[in-house]
Amino acid sequence: MIYRSILICIAFAMFACSSTTEQQPEKLDVDKMLAYCVEKTKVSLNGLSGTDSIPRNIYPDQTKWNKVGIHDWTSGFWPGVLWYAYEASGDKDILEQAKKYTEVLSGVLDVPVDNHDLGFMLYCSFGNGYRLTNDAKYHDLLLLAADSLATLYNPKVGTILSWPVMRKKMNWPHNTIIDNLINLELLFWASKNGDGSELFDMAVSHAEVSMETLIRPDYSTVHVAVFDTVDGHFIKGVTHQGYADDSQWARGQSWGIYGYTMCYRETGNEQFLQTARKLADVFINRLPEDGIPYWDFDDPNIPNAPKDASAAAVAASGLLELSEYMKHDADKLKYKKAATQLLAKLSTDQYLSGDSNRSFLLHSTGHKPNGTEIDASIIYADYYFLEALLRLKKTQDNVKWAYVK
Ligand code: GLY
């Protein structure tokens, strides 16, 4: 009897202990994680053969990067990782590589623009390069890129066309996706650097129309808004990379948080700030127990669905900026804490690639309906993870993040 009581007590103590451990927020050592990213960047650099092939993804059974050319929509993230790794370390060899991998992307503008991703491609590379070096060449290229992106603007709709190829392929005459918000940063920058109010007005209109058509009343997000090109009316909201037209694709929600926070920074429009906040609340409230989103919050296979570390990394970076714009300390703390918890969880053995491959992070999902990049390492997860760590480091050191001027 006594033995039985002792065993029950031990079992109870073990249960209490393990459930407390599960509920404890993970500890995050930002300096250690920045050093990890810098070291892994050097390992990747040593394994690359030339600047015309750029890291994009690593599948679960692989150790090295699968690479793409400069016209791939992800081509700007690797140079962006290099700029951030240089910013984190001051390492001059990384700086030289950042310049090389950035400059090779100037060829992106040699062909007619065929998607909205110019912002991702050229702002993450040349934008960060300009922020850190003030090189006039980078400034001039960014202005050309913004003008090129602006050619996709349809004044009848009031947004940029995201995917020209989908006009025929999917019968989406004019289409605008939630991800496109990120590309507006290039237009806002150009409007302050010589291109004037026209680009500013386009960016604002795009953000407003997206708010009306890509955000549902419950502040979950739609992936694609389809419009008529003749009178500009909204036809329908559908998904391309999410589970269903009415589901909440995780990375789409993250682009929304990040995008509307940036739109508030650039315009001071309170509606954008409130939108970013509500999108953030929905994202945070729907996170699963382990703190990292599944690829789509509504996949019926949860908990047996793949995760998306990239959605967590994008959201973490956006939430850190969002926390800065809160007027009350409790709100500042809320979003900073949410971001820190995302980063802390990504910084555990479960999500870090460690020695298993050359990326920083495992378990991202690129395009589940297409069957591509499922549970993989993807370069944009690494980019936003490093960006968020740097943002957090600067907050801890009381240094303001220098946005591209
Ligand atoms: N199209 C950008 C993304 O996959 O999130």
Side-chain angles (χ1 to χ4, degrees):
M1 187 66 189
I2 291 180
Y3 272 138
R4 215 173 132 226
S5 304
I6 291 172
L7 281 175
I8 289 170
C9 285
I10 291 173
F12 182 75
M14 283 172 69
F15 172 76
C17 190
S18 74
S19 66
T20 319
T21 315
E22 264 166 34
Q23 284 164 16
Q24 286 292 321
E26 310 284 348
K27 289 259 179 307
L28 175 64
D29 182 337
V30 179
D31 288 322
K32 187 172 154 201
M33 288 319 305
L34 284 170
Y36 162 85
C37 293
V38 170
E39 282 318 304
K40 292 217 72 176
T41 302
K42 289 183 190 165
V43 172
S44 282
L45 274 172
N46 285 337
L48 292 171
S49 48
T51 49
D52 51 353
S53 57
I54 301 166
R56 169 162 174 156
N57 61 37
I58 307 175
Y59 280 94
D61 56 346
Q62 300 176 319
T63 58
K64 295 181 186 163
W65 289 105
N66 296 305
K67 286 162 273 174
V68 289
I70 61 169
H71 295 288
D72 187 90
W73 84 270
T74 62
S75 63
F77 294 116
W78 171 243
V81 164
L82 294 172
W83 286 114
Y84 286 147
Y86 162 63
E87 189 171 6
S89 64
D91 186 306
K92 292 280 186 287
D93 292 335
I94 297 181
L95 171 64
E96 287 316 305
Q97 295 294 334
K99 289 181 183 170
K100 279 191 195 155
Y101 277 96
T102 293
E103 284 162 23
V104 77
L105 289 196
S106 57
V108 166
L109 294 178
D110 293 345
V111 298
V113 59
D114 72 346
N115 69 57
H116 67 127
D117 290 318
L118 281 183
F120 280 115
M121 295 156 88
L122 300 177
Y123 207 71
C124 298
S125 51
F126 285 89
N128 275 310
Y130 184 60
R131 185 171 71 81
L132 295 173
T133 66
N134 261 326
D135 187 328
K137 292 199 295 287
Y138 296 175
H139 176 279
D140 295 350
L141 184 125
L142 287 168
L143 284 181
L144 285 177
D147 289 342
S148 201
L149 179 58
T151 62
L152 294 175
Y153 184 78
N154 179 330
K156 281 266 180 348
V157 178
T159 67
I160 290 162
L161 168 65
S162 292
W163 289 326
V165 68
M166 295 300 198
R167 283 178 299 195
K168 262 214 178 119
K169 194 169 165 194
M170 298 299 289
N171 193 20
W172 294 343
H174 180 91
N175 55 80
T176 293
I177 67 174
I178 188 89
D179 331 22
N180 199 333
L181 289 167
I182 310 303
N183 298 307
L184 303 182
E185 196 167 4
L186 174 64
L187 298 186
F188 283 125
W189 175 85
S191 75
K192 296 180 287 192
N193 282 273
D195 271 3
S197 63
E198 204 188 341
L199 294 193
F200 181 86
D201 293 345
M202 281 181 192
V204 170
S205 169
H206 182 108
E208 286 173 346
V209 175
S210 296
M211 217 160 45
E212 289 157 19
T213 54
L214 290 169
I215 299 183
R216 305 185 184 108
D218 65 358
Y219 286 91
S220 63
T221 48
V222 180
H223 189 195
V224 187
V226 180
F227 302 88
D228 184 77
T229 41
V230 180
D231 65 7
H233 80 269
F234 172 62
I235 300 172
K236 60 181 176 180
V238 290
T239 198
H240 185 63
Q241 281 164 262
Y243 173 73
D245 292 347
D246 59 356
S247 72
Q248 190 184 331
W249 175 47
R251 197 164 57 256
Q253 195 78 12
S254 304
W255 292 136
I257 298 166
Y258 192 109
Y260 279 106
T261 304
M262 176 275 293
C263 288
Y264 171 71
R265 181 214 314 150
E266 296 298 333
T267 62
N269 180 335
E270 278 292 323
Q271 249 194 315
F272 294 155
L273 184 64
Q274 291 318 318
T275 299
R277 206 179 156 171
K278 286 178 177 149
L279 295 176
D281 290 344
V282 167
F283 183 91
I284 294 166
N285 290 339
R286 294 203 70 190
L287 284 173
E289 210 172 321
D290 95 330
I292 299 299
Y294 293 93
W295 74 285
D296 188 306
F297 285 96
D298 296 303
D299 183 338
N301 279 330
I302 289 172
N304 297 316
K307 294 278 185 158
D308 185 8
S310 77
V314 173
S317 193
L319 288 168
L320 284 171
E321 185 177 8
L322 180 64
S323 80
E324 281 178 36
Y325 305 140
M326 293 296 109
K327 290 164 193 77
H328 301 295
D329 285 348
D331 294 328
K332 276 186 192 297
L333 195 65
K334 173 182 167 181
Y335 296 116
K336 186 174 167 195
K337 197 171 153 206
T340 308
Q341 282 177 1
L342 286 166
L343 292 175
K345 186 68 202 187
L346 291 176
S347 302
T348 60
D349 288 347
Q350 195 183 340
Y351 287 92
L352 292 179
S353 62
D355 293 332
S356 69
N357 77 35
R358 290 186 176 167
S359 72
F360 305 156
L361 293 176
L362 304 169
H363 306 311
S364 289
T365 295
H367 196 331
K368 173 84 166 42
N370 213 25
T372 48
E373 294 180 321
I374 298 171
D375 197 30
S377 293
I378 309 183
I379 190 67
Y380 45 80
D382 286 9
Y383 174 87
Y384 287 101
F385 180 58
L386 182 48
E387 178 182 276
L389 287 168
L390 269 175
R391 281 183 168 177
L392 187 56
K393 168 78 179 153
K394 288 190 200 261
T395 319
Q396 289 174 347
D397 294 350
N398 260 325
V399 176
K400 271 213 155 323
W401 182 266
Y403 293 101
V404 191
K405 288 263 171 5

